[in-house]
Every structure is written in C-alpha cells, then in structure tokens.
Amino acid sequence: MKTKIVLKDADIPRVWYNIIADLKNPPEPVLHPGTKQPVTPDDLLPLFPMPLIEQEVSQERWIPIPEEVLDIYSLWRPTPMYRARRLEEALNTKSRIYYKYEGVSPAGSHKPNTSIPQAFYNKQAGRKRIATETGAGQWGSALSLGAAFFGLEATVYMVKVSYHQKPYRRILMETWGASVIPSPSDRTQAGKKILQEDPDSLGSLGIAISEAVEDAATREDTSYALGSVLNHVLLHQTVIGLECKKQMEEVGDYPDVVIGCCGGGSNLAGIAFPFLYDVFSGGKEVRVVAVEPAACPTLTKGVYTYDFGDTAQLTPLVKMYTLGHDFVPSGIHAGGLRYHGDAPLVSQLYNEGFIEAQAYHQTEVFKSAVLFARTEGILPAPESSHAVHSAIVEAKRADEEGREKTILFNLSGHGFFDLAAYDDYLSGKLVDYEYPEEKIREALERLPKVE
Ligand SMILES: *Cc1c(COP(=O)(O)O)cnc(C)c1O
C-alpha cells in the first residue's frame, strides 16, 4: 500500500465547491454596521471587487476556477496526501491516519489557495492596491505572493508584537514586494485612536483589521482582502478536499472523521466541505472536527450571535460564534488561531450539528507535533499541530473502544518560521494559559445589540 498518494497534474480540480447550495437553512444575512440592515452588494464595493461579492452570496454549487488561477495553482497543486505509517506504528494503533499537506505552497500554508484568486479578481476589476492585516504573518505573506504575481501593490498591517518578535515573515512579505506597517499605526483614524489611549499598545488582529478596512474604504484604487472567515475564502479552499476525495479513491479508503484546526475556519472548511457534500447528498456518514486552542475557544465556549469582525466596529456584522470583538487572547504560539470569531458557514454547520469542536492546550499540542516530526519528518505549524494532536487523540480513543477508524486531517502548513516556539517547548519554557473565563465574560457584555 502506498505511503504518498499523489495525483496527476490533470487531476487538479477545475471548480470550487460552494456548500451554500446544499445548506438546509439559508445563511443569515450580513448586516450593515451602522443601520443594522442587510448589506447590499453596493455597500461592499468599496472593499471588494464584484466577482468576489458575487461568490460571497452565490447559490451555484460548482464555481469554475479561472484558467489564470489554475496556472498558478499548478505550481504546487495537486498537493500530496500521505498515510502516516510511522506515526501509526509509534502509536501502535489499528486505525489508519492520513494527512493532506498544504505546506508545499510557496508561502508554506493553505492560504495561497485564496490569495491567488483574490489577487486575480482584484486585478481584473482594475484595482491597483490591496490592504490587509496579518497576525503572525502567514496571511500577509500569502497575499504578498498573490499581489506579486498579478502586479498589485500590497500594504499589510501587521500586529505590532509580531512585527517586532517575528521578523522573518515580514522579510518574506517585503521580498515579495509588500509594504508592512506595524499596527496600531498613525496611518489610520482607528490606529491613532488606539495609540492615543495606549501609546504602547502591542496591537491585535481586531485592531489591524480595522486599519486595513479603513485604508481600503478611503481609497478608490484599493481593496481589502481577508484570509479566512468569509464565504468566498472558504469556497476557494475547497480545492483541498476535492483533491483529497480523489486521493482517498486512489487508495480505496474513505474517512470516518475529517479534522482541521480552526482559527477562522478556512482550512477546516477546505478539507471538510467536499466530504459534507457526500453527507448532504446522502449515503455517507462523516464526522467533521474543528480543533481550537483552549486559550481562544470560540466554538467550544463562545456564543452564536451577530458580532463585528474587528475591534473598531467598522466591518459588517455577521452571525457567528464569537468571544466578543474586543477579546484579546493570550499570546499562544498558534498566532493564526487567535481570532475572536469564526466563519459564519462553519458556525452555522456547528450549530446544526454537522461539525464538532475540540479545544486543547498548547503543551499537549506541541508534544504531539514533536512526535509527528520525529515519525513523519515534517515540522508542523503550531496551528496545524492542533489537528495533529486531535488525530492522535482520535486514534487512541478508537483503540480503547476496540474500533478501527480512518482518520484524515489537514496539515495546513509547515513550522519553519515558528522554530522559537519549538525551542520554548523543547527547553520546557512553554506554558499553558488558563481558560480566560473572566475576560470572555467581559468581552461578551460588549456584544452589539441587534434583535
Ligand atoms: C492562518 C492559518 C490557520 C488558521 O486559519 P483558518 O482560516 O482557520 O484555516 C491554520 N493553519 C495555518 C498554517 C495558517 O497559516
């Protein structure tokens, strides 16, 4: 039996899967932050080009991938899927563990699956410049890559603490031609306001989003781009799961459980939605598991309600699981999982019982990541390590129950830029944070009133 399951170039998916076509209940409308009425496409035009707005609300099940995007995808897609044989041996499990590896993209994660089409549609719509935010730098680097391929200017507001502590992603972004600005900055009203209140603010993703949205909204030639959460982002990521289904066919297997780490929900949706299609169209039973950090437990401890996507309350209101738009999680190493909300589509499917959620502390997660690196060779990103850990927990549980499971997880990226985190773990300096009950309770009191 094969260990590495590769597809031929010709097997690259030519369409994305839009799960909205198969939902039992229509998605809740997105609301204008001022009027609290449903937004119209025209409300969103200052931020996004029309083709992306159309994808955001499309009811079509299959959406063609443009040739220009396919051509760039082909630089690293189809990505490999592996059977984790040495990990299985180390665990002495009867279950089969497979993982899809998205770390082979030039930016080292799944994020270029959406940054490339986003840059393409912006170029096509005549925009010259894209503004965005980044936490640890993964989304910022993916967008800088997309902008470089299509000749667009990229301005990236990077959370200040990461800008100073994690220079390598910044250097990667600048190498691809982007301007990187530590946030909060004095370039925007939102940034100035935060700096007036707290000149030493270390920033947060919510603040950086406010700055990027304001930048885009106030300049004609500039769009805003988001690396997760929105429907069109999740749509673009479905190339992952569509490939996986072919790879599973190739080995004559089918997953009982599909696992992804969950920050905003895009890599989870990317691997899982095409399998949920099999559930919706009948005949298959698949468990889908979202894995989040115990320090930012959006699905497991948040509430399902309308909230802002950013701290300054500039973004539209979306119905999602949230910890409150001004909740700032502890400084765990999985920077990409430190977001207060979750994708509306993932939130709805979790609420309807099609997705489960688990939360883990970072030391147990790193222990699993190191076992994975020593058996499979690949060094997982701290975010992806949450999925690694969950797969190991699932295999152990199946053995205890005397069952044999097929487990598939998304290895969303590599951890070459996160070696300081591994150093902390290996030298015993990594700490777990208590569940921030008080902070979450306070942030939830400041939720906007809608109904
Ligand atoms: C950004 C990122 C995540 C978290 O984002 P999702 O939208 O939840 O996928 C996970 N893994 C990696 C490697 C990332 O870069």
Side-chain angles (χ1 to χ4, degrees):
M1 218 204 195
K2 281 192 265 184
T3 298
K4 181 179 182 184
I5 302 101
V6 289
L7 296 173
K8 292 193 269 313
D9 286 353
D11 287 330
I12 192 165
R14 303 199 145 254
V15 290
W16 291 301
Y17 169 54
N18 178 17
I19 201 166
I20 293 175
D22 293 309
L23 292 177
K24 297 220 160 45
N25 303 299
E28 302 277 354
V30 171
L31 306 181
H32 190 282
T35 64
K36 311 231 163 100
Q37 293 303 307
V39 295
T40 62
D42 283 349
D43 291 331
L44 295 174
L45 260 182
L47 296 183
F48 303 105
M50 199 41 109
L52 290 175
I53 297 171
E54 283 166 4
Q55 288 181 358
E56 193 61 23
V57 296
S58 172
Q59 308 274 335
E60 292 293 316
R61 181 171 291 116
W62 306 107
I63 296 188
I65 305 176
E67 282 304 320
E68 293 87 339
V69 172
L70 280 172
D71 182 55
I72 294 177
Y73 274 1
S74 76
L75 298 177
W76 71 92
R77 308 209 69 87
T79 62
M81 185 180 86
Y82 296 91
R83 169 94 183 261
R85 285 184 187 285
R86 286 175 204 81
L87 176 64
E88 290 172 17
E89 262 167 48
L91 297 171
N92 195 21
T93 180
K94 294 214 160 35
S95 290
R96 289 176 298 281
I97 304 176
Y98 298 89
Y99 58 96
K100 178 75 162 165
Y101 187 39
E102 290 294 308
V104 293
S105 81
S109 77
H110 65 292
K111 290 203 170 77
N113 295 332
T114 185
S115 71
I116 300 301
Q118 289 195 47
F120 167 75
Y121 290 118
N122 272 293
K123 178 73 179 184
Q124 217 189 22
R127 308 270 167 117
K128 302 272 181 289
R129 196 171 156 267
I130 303 186
T132 196
E133 73 289 331
T134 198
Q138 285 148 323
W139 168 242
S141 46
L143 189 80
S144 306
L145 174 74
F149 280 147
F150 289 103
L152 295 163
E153 252 181 77
T155 298
V156 181
Y157 293 87
M158 184 172 189
V159 176
K160 196 171 278 174
V161 61
S162 306
Y163 181 93
H164 293 300
Q165 281 179 0
K166 301 182 175 176
Y168 296 114
R169 285 262 170 207
R170 167 179 65 75
I171 297 164
L172 185 62
M173 290 184 258
E174 288 172 348
T175 305
W176 278 327
S179 327
V180 185
I181 296 159
S183 164
S185 76
D186 58 10
R187 303 244 290 198
T188 63
Q189 295 307 322
K192 279 186 197 151
K193 184 155 175 276
I194 298 279
L195 287 174
Q196 264 162 20
E197 287 161 14
D198 176 11
D200 302 321
S201 167
L202 299 174
S204 73
L205 209 51
I207 295 170
I209 295 176
S210 301
E211 290 207 272
V213 167
E214 185 183 323
D215 181 322
T218 51
R219 278 185 60 164
E220 191 79 5
D221 63 347
T222 303
S223 280
Y224 171 63
L226 194 58
S228 185
V229 176
L230 298 179
N231 301 347
H232 67 264
V233 177
L234 275 50
L235 171 79
H236 300 155
Q237 294 295 351
T238 58
V239 287
I240 303 171
L242 292 168
E243 286 178 9
C244 261
K245 284 172 76 172
K246 285 191 192 168
Q247 284 159 312
M248 278 288 165
E249 244 175 70
E250 193 99 343
V251 289
D253 210 343
Y254 194 86
D256 297 301
V257 51
V258 178
I259 300 168
C261 64
C262 190
S266 73
N267 87 88
L268 169 74
I271 193 163
F273 283 6
F275 288 99
L276 284 179
Y277 171 71
D278 292 352
V279 173
F280 295 144
S281 53
K284 292 286 187 192
E285 261 180 55
V286 186
R287 287 174 53 218
V288 172
V289 178
V291 195
E292 54 187 23
C296 190
T298 316
L299 291 172
T300 50
K301 305 273 188 180
V303 293
Y304 188 39
T305 186
Y306 274 99
D307 198 6
F308 296 99
D310 71 324
T311 307
Q313 315 186 0
L314 297 174
T315 69
L317 289 158
V318 294
K319 187 156 181 192
M320 62 180 175
Y321 278 84
T322 177
L323 298 169
H325 55 270
D326 57 6
F327 173 71
V328 179
S330 322
I332 51 164
H333 282 289
L337 305 184
R338 292 176 72 237
Y339 185 60
H340 68 272
D342 261 315
L345 285 174
V346 168
S347 296
Q348 180 176 340
L349 289 162
Y350 175 65
N351 189 250
E352 291 173 353
F354 291 101
I355 296 179
E356 303 165 27
Q358 302 170 349
Y360 296 109
H361 285 287
Q362 64 177 355
T363 51
E364 55 187 342
V365 163
F366 270 88
K367 185 167 181 233
S368 292
V370 169
L371 174 65
F372 185 84
R374 289 178 187 175
T375 49
E376 294 297 311
I378 297 171
L379 187 86
E383 292 83 2
S384 323
S385 302
H386 287 71
V388 173
H389 181 64
S390 170
I392 291 175
V393 169
E394 289 288 338
K396 286 183 176 162
R397 194 172 297 155
D399 290 326
E400 280 162 21
E401 294 167 354
R403 294 176 53 210
E404 195 183 293
K405 272 193 258 183
T406 300
I407 299 166
L408 169 66
F409 73 89
N410 197 5
L411 191 63
S412 52
H414 67 61
F416 291 163
F417 291 99
D418 303 284
L419 288 168
Y422 278 90
D423 195 30
D424 279 355
Y425 173 76
L426 294 171
S427 57
K429 279 189 280 193
L430 201 71
V431 294
D432 284 334
Y433 296 96
E434 286 300 309
Y435 161 61
E437 193 164 357
E438 189 61 14
K439 261 168 71 183
I440 292 176
R441 200 180 52 72
E442 283 172 21
L444 290 177
E445 278 171 8
R446 292 187 292 270
L447 283 171
K449 304 267 175 297
V450 173
E451 277 108 343

